Amino acid sequence: MTLSTAKSTEAPAQRSGRRALGLKADVRNLSLLGVLTILIAVGGFTRPDEFLATSNLQLVLTQASVIGVVTVGMTFVITSGGIDLSVGAIVALASVWATTLATQEYGFAGILFTAVVVGVACGLVNGLLIAYGGMVPFIATLAMLASARGLALQITDGRTQIVTVDSVLDLGVPDAYLLGVPPLVLVFAAVTVAGWLILNRTTFGRRTVAVGGNAEAARLAGIDVRRQRLYLYLLSGMCCGIAAFLLIILSGSGQNTNGNLYELDAIAAAIIGGTLLTGGRGTIVGSVLGVLVFTTITNIFALNNLQSDVQQIAKGAIIVAAVLIQRRTLRNGEA
């Protein structure tokens, strides 16, 4: 039985259940919007002149764009029941490989091409190890994290690689903004729309959800589970490559420390956005709202001169709370 056949013969009760899930997703998104509104109010109250300044709001959106692109890829992986701990290290490796002197000789196209190819190549290795090598995603991506970080350090020798290509640097200056919107935000918006369409309106998205919900049932329905998982890690790697290019524009350099703790931020944003940690349910809109919540928190902490360790503690507490809420709703049969 194919997936399309199963979909066409699903019971009315199942369709009703899916509508109920959609309603709950809307409630979660509205809740996140409420949290974001509260954070904006807090920022405006504590630092009105700085937080509400146009330049600061542009900065928040720009910073959210980099981790946001990574989170879109992470959402697909988690929806399928997997995990990717290597996203931050892949961003670092892609950014330093794309900013070597040899690469910069090829200009804008060379930097962009190298960043994306490196990301896809790392995703390919992850996908092959997990889908066809039978490795647990946690172990395979942890190994990639260590390897990519080590290679990035070897390439840079601990030094910052400065970008000298004007066509790349020009995208980060206010003159390149379109109606006040930075180009990085436009890229993030395009990736978000594409991710939403793929997850919610394509066979690929339905297969991703099916694999995450029950891999064996998906296999019996005619889905090539291993190939689907390979594609998902390729997608995650590609998102890391795009994010690396955005980070190069934002910082004007490539460093082996780039992408530090991106895996934490991406996983946390996806989870608080409503993506089920055990797989079978994912939401791009919720993940994007989660990214905006975390980025706003970081910005407020920075403006109020609070230590970075306090930020990490707050993020960790949010992750724990989100997972506990998911577990509770699952036990109550509401997830």
Side-chain angles (χ1 to χ4, degrees):
M1 180 176 63
T2 64
L3 185 63
S4 59
T5 303
K7 186 175 183 292
S8 64
T9 58
E10 85 179 337
Q14 290 176 306
R15 290 194 293 270
S16 177
R18 288 199 322 190
R19 285 194 295 269
L21 286 177
L23 178 61
K24 291 184 177 66
D26 291 337
V27 172
R28 280 192 299 269
N29 291 340
L30 288 174
S31 299
L32 284 173
L33 280 174
V35 171
L36 188 58
T37 301
I38 293 173
L39 289 173
I40 292 174
V42 170
F45 177 77
T46 57
R47 285 291 187 272
D49 294 335
E50 300 171 41
F51 181 79
L52 296 178
T54 301
S55 58
N56 184 64
L57 296 178
Q58 289 172 334
L59 176 62
V60 171
L61 290 175
T62 301
Q63 292 175 334
S65 298
V66 179
I67 185 62
V69 172
V70 175
T71 302
V72 170
M74 181 69 78
T75 300
F76 277 88
V77 171
I78 296 179
T79 301
S80 72
I83 199 73
D84 191 348
L85 301 179
S86 64
V87 291
I90 294 175
V91 169
L93 179 58
S95 69
V96 300
W97 207 322
T99 54
T100 60
L101 292 176
T103 302
Q104 292 193 50
E105 291 180 358
Y106 293 94
F108 183 98
I111 294 176
L112 174 59
F113 177 78
T114 301
V116 174
V117 167
V118 170
V120 171
C122 291
L124 175 63
V125 174
N126 281 337
L128 289 175
L129 290 175
I130 294 166
Y132 294 94
M135 291 187 68
V136 177
F138 180 89
I139 300 300
T141 57
L142 185 62
M144 176 58 73
L145 183 156
S147 301
R149 282 287 178 195
L151 185 54
L153 178 60
Q154 186 178 52
I155 291 174
T156 62
D157 196 24
R159 300 186 181 92
T160 298
Q161 298 178 164
I162 304 300
V163 176
T164 59
V165 180
D166 291 337
S167 57
V168 173
L169 298 175
D170 289 345
L171 292 176
V173 300
D175 289 342
Y177 294 2
L178 181 62
L179 299 178
V181 180
L184 277 70
V185 178
L186 297 176
V187 173
F188 175 36
V191 171
T192 298
V193 171
W196 186 88
L197 290 173
I198 292 172
L199 185 60
N200 296 282
R201 294 291 185 267
T202 67
T203 301
F204 182 88
R206 290 192 291 272
R207 287 174 177 171
T208 300
V209 174
V211 169
N214 190 321
E216 180 60 21
R219 186 187 67 81
L220 294 175
I223 298 175
D224 189 331
V225 174
R226 293 190 298 178
R227 185 173 62 187
Q228 184 70 15
R229 284 175 174 160
L230 173 62
Y231 289 162
L232 288 166
Y233 282 95
L234 284 172
L235 177 61
S236 178
M238 182 178 68
C239 287
C240 289
I242 296 173
F245 182 71
L246 297 183
L247 191 57
I248 290 170
I249 296 173
L250 182 62
S251 64
S253 64
Q255 305 176 57
N256 65 284
T257 56
N258 281 343
N260 187 37
L261 294 180
Y262 272 20
E263 55 279 354
L264 169 67
D265 291 343
I267 293 171
I271 292 174
I272 71 170
T275 297
L276 199 60
L277 189 58
T278 54
R281 185 183 71 201
T283 164
I284 298 295
V285 174
S287 294
V288 170
L289 290 174
V291 168
L292 292 176
V293 166
F294 277 120
T295 307
T296 304
I297 289 175
T298 299
N299 184 259
I300 292 174
F301 275 44
L303 291 178
N304 287 277
N305 298 318
L306 296 176
Q307 298 296 323
S308 59
D309 54 351
V310 180
Q311 298 179 34
Q312 299 307 326
I313 292 172
K315 289 180 180 180
I318 292 173
I319 295 172
V320 171
V323 172
L324 289 177
I325 291 173
Q326 282 192 357
R327 288 171 62 88
R328 182 176 180 180
T329 55
L330 282 171
R331 284 198 302 268
N332 293 338
E334 296 176 357

